[in-house]
Amino acid sequence: MNKQSDKFLINEDNESIKKRSIPYPKSIIFIIGNEFCERFSFYGMRTILVFYFKFILSFNEDLATQAYHIFAMACYFTPVLGAILADSFIGKFWTILSISCIYAAGNIILSFASISGTSWISFFGLALIALGTGGIKPCVSAFGGDQFLPGQERQLQQFFSLFYISINSGSLISTFLTPILRQDIHCFGRQDCYPLAFGIPAILMVVALILFILGRFITGYIIHPPQKDNIVVTVCCCVARAFRRRFCSSLTKKSHWIDYADDKYDRKTLNDVKALMRVLFLYLPLPIFWALFDQQASRWTLQAIRMNGQLGNYTIKPDQIQVINPLLVILFIPVFDYLIYPFMNTIGLNKPLKRMVIGGLLAALSFGVCGFIQTQIEMEEPVLMLKNQNHLLLYNGLEDPYSFQNETIAPQSLKKFINLDRKMLTEIFDLSPNELKNDQTLIIYYRSKNENPMKMVFENVLVKPEKGGAKIFTLLN
């Protein structure tokens, strides 16, 4: 081996040693912790939000759905504002820090507003949350990437894997926990505890803010100054100028309509915008997918109220249905990496576009299943009670048939009667006028001929398991 080759190998070894000697940035611990707490806060609050609109603010289901999706829309629009603020004005660190304060304030306001159920205060808190979660969304992962130096590409890839795991872990835990806090704990004289269910996410958001600040003082951050130009603004201005000059002037015809902005923007910028336009065309179906996907926290959750929630010996709360998404994401990552993707490669489905098509078809199938379930629910759903009328469930536990209202009830069987006159029921079954009220179902259980029938009154029989009507709903169906 000649000296020149030896010198090359020595330089290469020194470079490898130099790369290996770069320590893993300790500040990443605080960024990952911040992301976990923030995602716990957001998804925990979001999980119970549509029920808060329905049961505390007394919105009907359509209005509750609209309010939820307006909030979701705001959450996904404000990242544009956060990106502009970070890139053009104050940088990522100060954007995250300042907007996180607004974010935490919104959570605290919402928690206190839920005590009295004041609508305008609740929406003010939600507006701050939307600004906060959207404002920091484009900054945190990018700020974490800024902590790595050239030569740490492998560590950077590990960081993004940990970052993604922290998102889904926070979502998984909070989506399971907050419905329990909402329903199983009673506070402020109510049969639920939305202040606590919103309060825990608020505390986690404060913890996220504290962790982010501690990282600055304990380990320090690599903070890059903001750029002079914001790429979002640049692209929008370039497209607007090209569009205006294309249709509002008599210039020589260009090979591509973006080229009409060449009087102000250089060739590299024009080529980048052209590439972006091609990518955006590929992403056209995605807004439709996400519009449907986000219904899991609105219409799908409201649909779950009308199901019994039984999974073996455990009753799933309606809003806990959302836990399936982060759970499957975490479980399916190794399954896809080691089983499904290798298998798809062997049958020629090795391109991302083909996988996107298959995923879209599966998503469409899932909504078809959801629609079928809804039709079955509506076929079996109990009839609403009319004014001054009540439902009756009559169980014949006798050995002989029992007759009521020209209906014969076989031994050891149940019969339901819909919208019977309340006065008639109180007279027949010897009830006082105050024992049977609006939206109550009367249950009569004949156990033996020698005993008076057992009489029970239940409220909210249409709601299950929310408001404690699960057993009666099961009987009605």
Side-chain angles (χ1 to χ4, degrees), residues 58-111:
S58 300
F59 291 180
N60 60 42
E61 291 192 357
D62 291 338
L63 186 57
T65 301
Q66 293 172 17
Y68 170 80
H69 285 290
I70 290 173
F71 169 74
M73 178 191 69
C75 290
Y76 290 106
F77 174 77
T78 49
V80 176
L81 304 179
I84 294 174
L85 183 64
D87 289 345
S88 301
F89 297 99
I90 61 176
K92 300 183 189 72
F93 173 80
W94 290 108
T95 299
I96 297 171
L97 181 61
S98 58
I99 293 185
S100 291
C101 294
I102 298 174
Y103 194 172
N107 277 280
I108 294 170
I109 290 172
L110 178 61
S111 179

Side-chain angles (χ1 to χ4, degrees), residues 51-60 63 119:
F51 281 177
Y52 179 68
F53 291 148
K54 178 176 173 60
F55 295 114
I56 302 301
L57 301 188
S58 300
F59 291 180
N60 60 42
L63 186 57
S119 297

